[in-house]
Amino acid sequence: QKEVEQNSGPLSVPEGAIASLNCTYSDRGSQSFFWYRQYSGKSPELIMFIYSNGDKEDGRFTAQLNKASQYVSLLIRDSQPSDSATYLCAVNHGWKTSYDKVIFGPGTSLSVIP
Amino acid sequence: DGGITQSPKYLFRKEGQNVTLSCEQNLNHDAMYWYRQDPGQGLRLIYYSQIVNDFQKGDIAEGYSVSREKKESFPLTVTSAQKNPTAFYLCASSIGRTVSYNEQFFGPGTRLTVL
């Protein structure tokens, strides 16, 4: 089982719709979780992080964490064509080691259709 | 302007040649990291450093070397022992373990191609 899994996509949504991106992780002791956006040919850009169960909202973005189900998601409301990118889920396994090892998922490609 | 810089943006390597990728940060971060990204794949950790003069191997360190002589700088050398070095190389930094969430921030990347 891979440590961090995401649907590779592509996920296509119409402009103005809600895009839902999902991520599951295998290490039950993971402490913090990150969502990065990566445009083609560019480096990842941090969108949000979350470390408590529940929802965290920032503008059009909402991160949801359920540690019991080992599941983290990112919702993008009112999706715009500029949201078209690959979204990387990352999980911090730092509780096990002296190093904050962050494991990245393979990413989900999102396409917002005008 | 605080941030992470990487140079060069594009790099071409001949067979058997060592090349060095530069990474500099002025965020006063303690921790720095090197990742490799291949097309359609996630990020794989090459090396990381939590403090000056100390660094540790990541998941795919073979054929790479690093140094951390200054807090601001973490150069990566791709040696001739790395048989398939063509990839997008990303440098990142984070505050360090004093912060529980410790998010990583990325530089713009270096795209390395073997001729």
Side-chain angles (χ1 to χ4, degrees), chain B residues 23-38:
Chain B
C23 177
E24 304 276 334
Q25 55 98 1
N26 61 4
L27 300 169
N28 200 32
H29 285 173
D30 285 320
M32 297 186 75
Y33 315 83
W34 274 104
Y35 292 92
R36 168 180 172 146
Q37 187 175 37
D38 293 283

Side-chain angles (χ1 to χ4, degrees), chain A residues 94 97-101, chain B residues 29-33 47-56 68 71 74 93-98 102 104:
Chain A
T97 68
S98 61
Y99 152 64
D100 285 313
K101 184 171 184 177
Chain B
H29 285 173
D30 285 320
M32 297 186 75
Y33 315 83
Y47 268 97
Y48 64 94
S49 170
Q50 296 285 80
I51 197 169
V52 175
N53 292 322
D54 185 61
F55 49 83
Q56 304 295 328
R68 185 87 187 276
K71 186 175 184 177
F74 191 40
S93 70
S94 65
I95 293 175
R97 284 193 59 83
T98 54
N102 201 27
Q104 296 182 13

